């Protein structure tokens, strides 16, 4: 190690020693402490052993000299003084901050050092032979420590502090704690020892010297007097001694509010005015008490505690503006009272019990409201009028009187009128002077039970001053309507019915409305040999048979007059006719058929027999008044017998001819099933005509050509054939239907059918179809393409 080979001469000067100290290290490692003591002219050296002190050097920071700062001298015992030893320095700052003399071993600091930037440096020293370049001994490490001086002032963590404290706080109340730091070495001297003091803010605040805690120094600090304070705090090092460095900061202190100020009215009385016509709830005026507090501590509540106007006026607290709003509670009347007085009290809604000693937190004031006169409209004696009148009351009879007056002191006369919009039928009239209402048209309770009209009252000298009142007129019921059947009954009786059997239960209705409810009585107008009625005494009745064995051939319909009476006064009654049909029923009484036509058809008579019966009946009943009705019935039966069932039910499925074979046909191309040429040739012989109600034996029957009649019209032909078949009693019933789409003479496309086509289609040209528009494009494509294929 270097301590075994070097001799160190380290002149170090300490500020706390009275004389220089020289540290010498011998080759055996013993350290000597030499004090320069003068005893006469001799230098006396005292030895003191210190281990490893040679490894540390102390150097003052912030050196201001013009030369390099001397650190110390390094000397190796291998150095014989012949100049062959060379000293080399390495480590932190070597060659830049620290420089060593290669020959002498003197160590200097070439730069001004700052302990706050770096407090120590670690270096290595070694001696080499200049000639051989070999080290004389191994490198040895040592430390250079920077000696601190007071070169940094204290700095606060914040340039400006913000704090708040409740007003009226006690002395010593904590406000805030400020903190400052000093970059100097706190372990050496007082360079970093700080003391706090207050430069501005007295006598209100104080600061603790060692901790920096700011406290209240004055009692009863009132926010309403002063709200904000600026306090300047100083921190000084060197324990506050003269020559120490210092720093300052500002503390902004705000006094927060407490409820220590009661509300107070600015005046003991207030005078307001409003018109007597002011609506209920309208604002008369506003008042406000003063409260020095803020926020919820300044929230107030107003109320009326006394006064002759408590019944007419009220006060509401405006929570936003903290004002008391005087409103109308009841209509004011200038003619009866001119001035309304109330006593208003104001209190804080949030009171602090800690400050109740400051006085009652409420105040009162007198409010006087003067009513101003206005020209008011007439006033009715009631808010609405209700009258009752019988529906049979004669015209011109008075049903009631409307009264109103002028509330003003002038008392002008009043005139009355009915709002015609509320009486569109003009049922009532009112006397414009005395207000009596009379009937001018007949009333009907069954049409309207209530009439709601409005009556207008206005001053004669000022018609613009007008009031309106509703008048409700109830029309009382009078028994003026007879009861009748509740519904139309479809009643039937079976041919095999027994005597005394129920066939119908009936009920009645009455548009009248008696007080005790309806009570109907059912009876027959006269004795009936076929039917009787039984009153159930619950506004219903049962229709029963008197006999058995009804026959549709003898009588198909019976008409039973039923008399229905009510029990009100005067008694009203009506006769309603119950229609009873005779029907065929099964053994359980279920109806099967009620038609006379079905009876005739069920007999299985042939057409010839029916015609014979018809002729006999016509002869026998020619002198009877009812012969026409019987003829109509028989003709109807014949017509229904010959009625053909249509083959096509849907209107969408229409063809030029439709033939039902009850098998799979050839589709639309099957035109051989029906001879369409017959329609074009009315004169054709019908000898070879096939039946259309059976499957033809020949698929391609022979058709005889006939001359073409140019003036024949298809419609006339169809109509004539229809009439011919309708009047032919021997024609069998058809089970097939042929339909033809007749365009008529007015069609611009003429006829689309092939009725006027010749026997062959080869002489037809279909090019004109393409000129008929998009509606016929599909048809043109079909026929033009077909025609082209045939030509090819």
């Amino acid at each position: 190690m270097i301590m075994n080979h070097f001799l160190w001469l380290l002149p170090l000067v300490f500020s706390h020693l009275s004389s220089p100290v020289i540290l010498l290290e011998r080759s055996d490692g013993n350290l000597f402490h030499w004090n320069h003591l003068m005893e006469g002219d001799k230098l006396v050296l005292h030895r003191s052993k210190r281990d490893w002190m040679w490894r540390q050097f102390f150097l003052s920071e912030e050196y201001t000299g013009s030369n390099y700062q001397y650190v110390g001298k390094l000397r190796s015992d291998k150095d014989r003084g012949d100049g062959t030893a060379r000293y080399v320095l390495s480590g932190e700052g070597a060659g830049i901050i620290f420089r060593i003399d290669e020959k002498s071993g003197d160590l200097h600091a070439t730069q001004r050092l700052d302990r706050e930037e770096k407090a120590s440096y670690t270096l290595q020293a070694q001696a080499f032979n200049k000639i051989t370049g070999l080290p004389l001994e191994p490198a040895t490490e040592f430390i250079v420590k920077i000696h601190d001086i007071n070169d940094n002032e204290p700095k606060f963590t914040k340039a400006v502090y913000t704090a708040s404290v409740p007003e009226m706080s006690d002395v010593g109340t904590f406000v805030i704690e400020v903190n400052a730091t000093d970059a100097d070495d706190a372990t050496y001297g007082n360079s970093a020892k700080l003391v706090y003091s207050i430069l501005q803010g007295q006598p209100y605040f104080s600061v603790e010297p060692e901790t920096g805690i700011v406290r209240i120094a004055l009692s009863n600090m009132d926010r309403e007097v002063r709200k904000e304070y600026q306090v300047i705090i100083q921190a000084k090092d060197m324990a506050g001694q003269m020559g120490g460095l210092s720093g300052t900061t500002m503390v902004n202190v705000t006094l927060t509010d407490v409820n220590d100020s009661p509300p107070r009215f600015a005046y003991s009385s207030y005078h307001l005015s409003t018109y007597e016509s002011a609506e209920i709830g309208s604002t008369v005026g506003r008042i406000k008490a003063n409260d020095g507090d803020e926020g919820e501590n300044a929230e107030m509540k107003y109320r009326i505690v006394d006064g002759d106007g408590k019944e007419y006026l009220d006060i509401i607290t405006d929570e936003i503006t903290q004002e008391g709003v005087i409103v109308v509670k009841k209509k004011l009347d200038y003619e009866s009272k001119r001035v309304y007085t109330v006593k208003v009290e104001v209190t804080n809604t949030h009171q602090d019990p800690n400050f109740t000693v400051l006085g009652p937190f409420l105040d009162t004031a007198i409010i006087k409201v003067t009513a101003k006169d206005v020209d008011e409209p007439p006033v009715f004696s009631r808010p609405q009028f209700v009258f009752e009148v019988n529906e049979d009351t004669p015209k011109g009879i008075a049903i009631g009187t409307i009264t109103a007056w002028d509330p003003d002191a002038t008392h002008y006369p009043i005139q009355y009128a009915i709002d015609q919009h509320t009486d569109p039928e003009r049922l009532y009239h009112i006397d414009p002077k005395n207000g009596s209402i009379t009937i001018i048209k007949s009333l009907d309770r069954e049409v309207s039970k209530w009439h709601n009209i409005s009556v207008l009252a206005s001053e004669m000298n000022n018609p613009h001053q007008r009031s309106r009142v509703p008048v409700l007129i109830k029309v009382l019921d009078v028994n003026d309507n007879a009861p009748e059947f509740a519904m139309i009954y479809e009643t039937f009786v079976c041919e095999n019915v027994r005597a005394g059997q129920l066939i119908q239960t009936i009920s009645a209705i009455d548009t009248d409305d008696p007080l005790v409810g309806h009570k109907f009585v059912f009876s027959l107008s006269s004795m009936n040999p076929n039917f009787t009625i039984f009153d159930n005494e619950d506004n219903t009745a049962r229709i029963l048979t008197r006999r058995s064995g009804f026959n549709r051939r003898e009588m198909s319909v019976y008409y039973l007059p039923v008399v229905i009476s009510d029990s009100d006064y005067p008694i009203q009654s009506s006769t309603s006719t119950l229609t009873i049909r005779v029907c065929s029923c099964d053994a359980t009484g279920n109806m099967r058929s009620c038609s006379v036509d079905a009876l005739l058809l069920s007999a299985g008579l042939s057409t010839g027999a029916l015609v014979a019966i018809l002729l006999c009946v016509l002869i026998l009943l020619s002198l009877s008044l009812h012969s026409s009705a019987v003829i109509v019935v028989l003709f109807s039966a014949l017509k229904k017998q010959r009625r053909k069932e249509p083959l096509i039910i849907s209107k969408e499925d229409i063809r030029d001819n439709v033939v039902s074979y009850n098998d799979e046909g050839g589709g639309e191309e099957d035109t051989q099933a029906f001879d369409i040429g017959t329609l074009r040739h009315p004169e054709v012989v019908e000898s070879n005509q096939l039946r259309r109600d059976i499957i033809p034996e020949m698929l391609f029957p022979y058709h005889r050509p006939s001359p073409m009649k140019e003036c024949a019209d298809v419609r006339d032909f169809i109509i004539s054939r229809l009439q011919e078949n309708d009047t032919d009693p021997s024609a069998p019933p058809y089970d097939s239907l042929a339909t033809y789409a007749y365009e008529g003479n007015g069609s611009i496309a003429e006829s689309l059918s092939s009725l006027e086509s010749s026997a062959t289609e080869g002489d037809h040209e279909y090019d004109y179809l393409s000129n008929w528009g998009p509606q016929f494009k599909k048809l043109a494509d079909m026929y033009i393409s077909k025609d082209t294929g045939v030509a090819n």
Side-chain angles (χ1 to χ4, degrees):
M1 293 179 66
I2 192 170
M3 67 179 180
N4 296 324
H5 306 285
F6 276 94
L7 175 65
W8 300 83
L9 299 177
L10 305 176
L12 304 175
V13 180
F14 296 93
S15 60
H16 62 282
L17 299 178
S18 59
S19 60
V21 176
I22 300 177
L23 297 178
L24 299 178
E25 183 182 8
R26 299 194 314 172
S27 59
D28 59 359
N30 292 325
L31 191 65
F32 295 90
H33 182 187
W34 299 87
N35 289 336
H36 292 259
L37 300 178
M38 298 301 297
E39 295 181 1
D41 295 333
K42 293 184 178 181
L43 176 61
V44 181
L45 301 178
H46 297 277
R47 176 186 176 190
S48 59
K49 186 176 180 181
R50 296 185 180 179
D51 292 337
W52 308 107
M53 287 297 294
W54 65 272
R55 290 183 178 277
Q56 293 185 358
F57 293 89
F58 290 90
L59 185 65
S60 298
E61 67 171 338
E62 304 296 343
Y63 175 71
T64 58
S66 59
N67 299 324
Y68 292 159
Q69 188 177 2
Y70 182 74
V71 179
K73 187 178 183 65
L74 287 80
R75 179 74 179 222
S76 176
D77 58 353
K78 301 293 185 180
D79 187 2
R80 295 188 294 270
D82 55 1
T84 59
R86 181 172 64 87
Y87 296 94
V88 177
L89 185 68
S90 63
E92 295 179 337
I96 299 175
I97 299 176
F98 300 99
R99 183 175 296 177
I100 191 171
D101 191 315
E102 293 182 354
K103 295 179 180 181
S104 63
D106 292 333
L107 183 63
H108 293 83
T110 63
Q111 295 182 9
R112 184 178 179 179
L113 302 179
D114 188 356
R115 191 201 66 84
E116 285 70 39
E117 294 181 1
K118 190 172 180 60
S120 63
Y121 296 84
T122 302
L123 300 169
Q124 294 84 31
Q126 193 173 13
F128 290 87
N129 190 309
K130 286 184 179 181
I131 299 173
T132 64
L134 297 176
L136 298 178
E137 78 280 327
T140 300
E141 185 177 86
F142 63 95
I143 298 174
V144 178
K145 289 187 176 181
I146 309 301
H147 181 64
D148 182 49
I149 64 173
N150 189 20
D151 60 342
N152 292 279
E153 71 278 1
K155 292 184 179 179
F156 285 92
T157 56
K158 294 182 180 179
V160 177
Y161 289 85
T162 301
S164 62
V165 63
E167 63 174 332
M168 309 299 290
S169 297
D170 296 331
V171 174
T173 302
F174 174 85
V175 179
I176 195 174
E177 181 179 358
V178 297
N179 186 24
T181 59
D182 195 320
D184 292 326
D185 189 0
T187 62
Y188 178 77
N190 295 324
S191 299
K193 187 175 183 181
L194 305 181
V195 174
Y196 299 93
S197 62
I198 185 168
L199 301 182
Q200 177 182 314
Q202 297 172 330
Y204 308 104
F205 302 94
S206 63
V207 63
E208 294 181 358
E210 295 180 356
T211 61
I213 296 177
V214 181
R215 299 183 182 276
I216 294 291
L218 184 65
S219 60
N220 297 328
M221 296 176 64
D222 193 354
R223 188 199 65 86
E224 287 72 36
V225 177
R226 183 178 178 182
K227 181 179 181 180
E228 295 180 349
Y229 297 83
Q230 288 184 342
V231 181
I232 298 178
I233 305 297
Q234 174 185 265
K236 190 174 183 181
D237 59 12
M238 297 301 292
Q241 298 177 5
M242 186 71 68
L245 303 178
S246 64
T248 60
T249 187
M250 179 180 293
V251 181
N252 292 325
V253 182
T254 301
L255 297 182
T256 58
D257 184 54
V258 296
N259 194 6
D260 60 339
S261 298
R264 292 290 181 264
F265 284 110
Y267 306 99
S268 59
S269 64
Y270 295 83
H271 295 270
L272 304 174
S273 63
T274 186
Y275 289 99
E276 62 173 336
S277 60
E279 298 293 334
I280 296 176
S282 60
T283 301
V284 177
R286 290 172 175 258
I287 61 173
K288 185 177 182 180
N290 298 322
D291 192 328
D293 297 321
E294 62 181 5
E296 69 174 12
N297 295 323
E299 293 180 1
M300 296 175 286
K301 182 179 180 181
Y302 300 85
R303 68 187 185 100
I304 295 177
V305 295
D306 197 5
D308 57 10
K310 290 178 59 177
E311 183 181 355
Y312 298 90
L313 300 174
D314 196 6
I315 188 167
I316 301 173
T317 302
D318 189 332
E319 296 182 356
I320 298 177
T321 63
Q322 296 300 311
E323 293 178 315
V325 183
I326 309 298
V327 297
V328 176
K329 182 178 179 181
K330 184 179 178 180
K331 274 285 192 177
L332 307 182
D333 188 6
Y334 171 83
E335 286 72 27
S336 60
K337 191 176 183 62
R338 304 292 175 89
V339 179
Y340 299 82
T341 304
V342 292
K343 184 179 181 180
V344 176
E345 178 186 87
V346 60
T347 58
N348 280 132
T349 56
H350 303 279
Q351 296 187 15
D352 192 340
N354 296 325
F355 301 99
T356 55
V357 295
L358 299 179
F361 282 76
L362 60 86
D363 197 12
T364 58
I366 301 298
I367 310 297
K368 294 183 178 181
V369 178
T370 302
K372 295 188 291 185
D373 187 30
V374 295
D375 189 5
E376 298 176 274
V379 176
F380 289 95
S381 59
R382 302 178 191 172
Q384 70 176 17
F385 292 83
V386 180
F387 301 125
E388 293 182 351
V389 58
N390 292 328
E391 61 178 326
D392 60 348
T393 300
K395 301 176 184 179
I397 300 299
I399 62 174
T401 301
I402 305 298
T403 56
W405 67 88
D406 182 9
D408 298 322
T410 53
H411 295 293
Y412 291 117
I414 304 300
Q415 59 181 2
Y416 303 92
I418 294 178
D419 187 351
Q420 300 299 332
H421 295 90
T422 61
D423 185 23
E425 298 178 0
R426 306 297 188 269
L427 299 176
Y428 304 98
H429 171 73
I430 189 171
D431 189 293
K433 293 183 179 180
N434 59 24
S436 62
I437 298 178
T438 57
I439 301 174
I440 58 177
K441 287 185 179 180
S442 299
L443 305 180
D444 190 353
R445 191 202 66 87
E446 286 69 39
V447 176
S448 180
K449 299 179 181 180
W450 285 89
H451 297 157
N452 301 333
I453 63 175
S454 295
V455 173
L456 306 176
S458 58
E459 298 177 3
M460 286 189 176
N461 66 322
N462 187 7
H464 296 288
Q465 291 296 334
R466 177 184 298 176
S467 297
R468 175 188 299 265
V469 68
V471 179
L472 309 180
I473 302 175
K474 182 179 181 180
V475 181
L476 302 179
D477 183 47
V478 175
N479 192 27
D480 57 348
N481 292 280
E484 58 186 11
F485 278 156
M487 58 182 294
I488 299 176
Y489 295 99
E490 295 182 359
T491 307
F492 71 93
V493 60
C494 296
E495 290 180 311
N496 57 353
V497 71
R498 298 186 305 273
Q501 186 170 340
L502 172 67
I503 63 172
Q504 184 69 59
T505 300
I506 60 176
S507 61
I509 57 174
D510 192 339
T511 56
D512 293 323
D513 189 14
L515 297 177
V516 296
H518 292 291
K519 178 61 179 177
F520 300 127
V521 178
F522 299 87
S523 62
L524 298 179
S525 60
S526 61
M527 180 65 66
N528 190 291
N530 302 309
F531 305 98
T532 185
I533 190 170
F534 181 81
D535 194 337
N536 297 326
E537 297 184 357
D538 59 354
N539 294 336
T540 63
R542 291 176 290 170
I543 305 299
L544 307 175
T545 57
R546 277 183 174 271
R547 64 181 181 86
S548 61
F550 290 87
N551 194 331
R552 282 183 294 169
R553 296 183 182 89
E554 297 177 359
M555 181 68 70
S556 61
V557 179
Y558 291 89
Y559 299 98
L560 183 64
V562 178
V563 178
I564 308 175
S565 304
D566 58 22
S567 58
D568 205 355
Y569 180 82
I571 296 177
Q572 299 288 339
S573 63
S574 67
T575 301
S576 299
T577 301
L578 182 66
T579 302
I580 305 174
R581 296 183 299 161
V582 180
C583 300
S584 174
C585 303
D586 56 17
T588 59
N590 295 322
M591 181 183 65
R592 293 189 300 182
S593 174
C594 296
S595 174
V596 177
D597 298 344
L599 177 64
L600 295 176
L601 293 177
S602 65
L605 299 178
S606 64
T607 305
L610 292 175
V611 173
I613 294 174
L614 176 62
L615 293 176
C616 293
V617 171
L618 291 175
I619 295 173
L620 294 175
L621 301 179
S622 60
L623 300 178
S624 175
L625 295 177
H626 301 288
S627 62
S628 59
V630 177
I631 293 173
V632 170
V633 172
L634 293 177
F635 267 114
S636 175
L638 291 175
K639 299 268 300 173
K640 289 185 178 181
Q641 183 181 15
R642 297 176 55 212
R643 184 173 301 165
K644 296 181 286 292
E645 183 71 19
L647 295 179
I648 298 179
I649 304 302
S650 174
K651 296 181 180 180
E652 303 294 331
D653 189 12
I654 301 299
R655 301 289 187 270
D656 282 349
N657 52 77
V658 179
V659 180
S660 174
Y661 291 130
N662 197 22
D663 63 346
E664 295 290 339
E668 295 182 0
E669 300 298 331
D670 186 6
T671 58
Q672 302 298 332
F674 190 87
D675 186 9
I676 197 68
T678 305
L679 296 177
R680 296 179 56 252
H681 309 292
E683 300 86 0
V684 68
V685 180
E686 299 181 359
S687 60
N688 295 328
Q689 185 175 4
L690 299 177
R691 290 185 59 182
R692 291 172 288 146
D693 55 347
I694 61 175
I695 300 177
E697 298 178 355
M698 298 179 59
L699 296 178
F700 301 95
Y702 173 75
H703 300 285
R704 295 180 57 186
S706 61
M708 181 176 179
K709 189 174 182 179
E710 297 180 355
C711 61
D713 186 61
V714 177
R715 180 175 59 183
D716 296 338
F717 171 74
I718 293 176
I719 294 175
S720 63
R721 291 301 298 270
L722 178 63
Q723 293 176 351
E724 179 182 348
N725 283 275
D726 287 343
T727 57
D728 185 6
S730 63
Y734 284 90
D735 58 359
S736 61
L737 174 66
T739 61
Y740 309 98
Y742 176 72
E743 293 290 340
N745 295 329
S747 174
I748 60 174
E750 300 179 353
S751 177
L752 297 182
S753 68
S754 58
L755 298 180
E756 296 181 0
S757 303
S758 55
T760 62
E761 297 179 356
D763 57 348
H764 283 280
E765 298 291 339
Y766 299 102
D767 295 338
Y768 57 86
L769 294 176
S770 60
N771 300 327
W772 286 2
Q775 295 87 345
F776 300 93
K777 182 177 183 304
K778 182 65 178 179
L779 186 64
D781 294 341
M782 293 173 56
Y783 278 85
I784 292 176
S785 60
K786 180 178 179 182
D787 185 49
T788 304
V790 173
N792 293 336

